[in-house]
């Protein structure tokens, strides 16, 4: 089981590579646990934010989720459409690192 993480900070980069199988398993379990807990933390935080946003009239109520989802799809399409058109007419350059 190969598990490695590459990271970079202040113009230095590191690879974190376990040297044996036991360290690799422990590294994977701790990373999976951290990832799961981070996901739950984000959901908990978003629940607090959503409960605050429901006080405003412009925020979609319980029965208007499909409308909000359709508007999200429209916004996503407009964003990617602008990226495509902007790149083709020379307004945007996408440079890989």
């Amino acid at each position: 089981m190969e598990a490695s993480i590459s990271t970079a900070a202040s113009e230095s980069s590191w690879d974190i590579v376990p040297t044996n199988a036991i360290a690799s398993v422990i590294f994977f379990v701790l990373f999976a646990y951290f990832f799961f807990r981070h996901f739950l933390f984000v959901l908990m935080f978003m629940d607090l934010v959503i409960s605050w946003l429901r006080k405003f009239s412009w925020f979609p109520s319980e029965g208007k989720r499909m409308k909000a989802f359709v508007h999200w799809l429209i916004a996503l399409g407009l964003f990617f459409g602008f990226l495509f058109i902007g790149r083709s007419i020379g307004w945007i350059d996408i440079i890989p690192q």
Side-chain angles (χ1 to χ4, degrees):
M1 177 194 234
E2 178 70 27
S4 65
I5 290 181
S6 297
T7 184
S10 19
E11 299 180 15
S12 300
S13 62
W14 301 277
D15 286 336
I16 302 171
V17 181
T19 57
N20 58 32
I22 294 173
S24 180
V25 168
I26 292 171
F27 186 64
F28 173 76
V29 168
L30 289 176
F31 180 78
Y33 178 71
F34 176 71
F35 182 80
F36 176 72
R37 286 297 172 181
H38 178 73
F39 180 69
L40 288 179
F41 177 75
V42 168
L43 288 179
M44 178 190 67
F45 183 72
M46 287 308 300
D47 186 44
L48 293 173
V49 171
I50 286 174
S51 65
W52 176 72
L53 285 174
R54 284 192 179 136
K55 297 176 185 175
F56 299 102
S57 62
W58 52 264
F59 192 76
S61 60
E62 291 288 328
K64 308 232 178 182
R65 290 183 180 151
M66 183 58 82
K67 181 180 175 183
F69 179 68
V70 169
H71 279 267
W72 178 80
L73 287 177
I74 291 170
L76 188 68
L78 288 171
F79 178 74
F80 282 118
F82 174 73
L83 286 180
F84 178 75
I85 291 171
R87 187 175 181 199
S88 65
I89 61 176
W91 288 358
I92 298 172
D93 287 331
I94 299 175
I95 302 169
Q97 293 295 321

